[in-house]
Amino acid sequence: MSNKYSKYFPVHDDFNIDDFPYYWIAQVYGLYINKMDDSLKKYGLDNSRRRIILASHARPNASISELAEMSIIKIPTATKIIYRLKDEGLLDTSESEVDSRVTRVNLTEKGHEMVIKINEITSLLFNDSFSGLKPGDIKKLNESLKTIKHNLE
């Protein structure tokens, strides 16, 4: 099979890992998560908890399934994380007024305070990782990643 992307396929004779976009996506994501996890440890958090907290901040009163989808975490795992965060006083849950089978999730005051701490860490990491790039470069990167995400969906 040959098309305009074939040189990027691992089966291509001239394939070079340095030209494979998913290699770089994985490398950047892995380093980001490692640095983020190291920074979050002082607050007793990890990356999965961070994602649920930030999703709860972005979408107040969301269902567990909505938060799982936003966080790219399977529903059973998201449920466990949400109830751990509830036990830690960062989230509150309630039964949906419309459908009693649905659990709604909201940040507590302590959860809102944690969002501020997470955002401070994120700002520092963002500044470090995007040093040397212009705002236009970041905008183009976001547009390209959105297109790739859309294509994968």
Side-chain angles (χ1 to χ4, degrees), residues 127-143:
N127 282 335
D128 288 347
S129 57
F130 285 88
S131 176
L133 294 175
K134 298 175 188 158
D137 297 332
I138 297 168
K139 182 178 180 182
K140 180 63 179 163
L141 174 63
N142 283 338
E143 289 168 359

Side-chain angles (χ1 to χ4, degrees), residues 97-119:
E97 295 174 9
V98 179
D99 185 346
S100 62
R101 298 171 296 171
V102 176
T103 300
R104 298 284 173 196
V105 181
N106 284 291
L107 289 171
T108 62
E109 185 58 38
K110 186 177 174 184
H112 285 287
E113 291 169 8
M114 189 59 73
V115 168
I116 293 168
K117 293 173 185 173
I118 291 168
N119 286 340

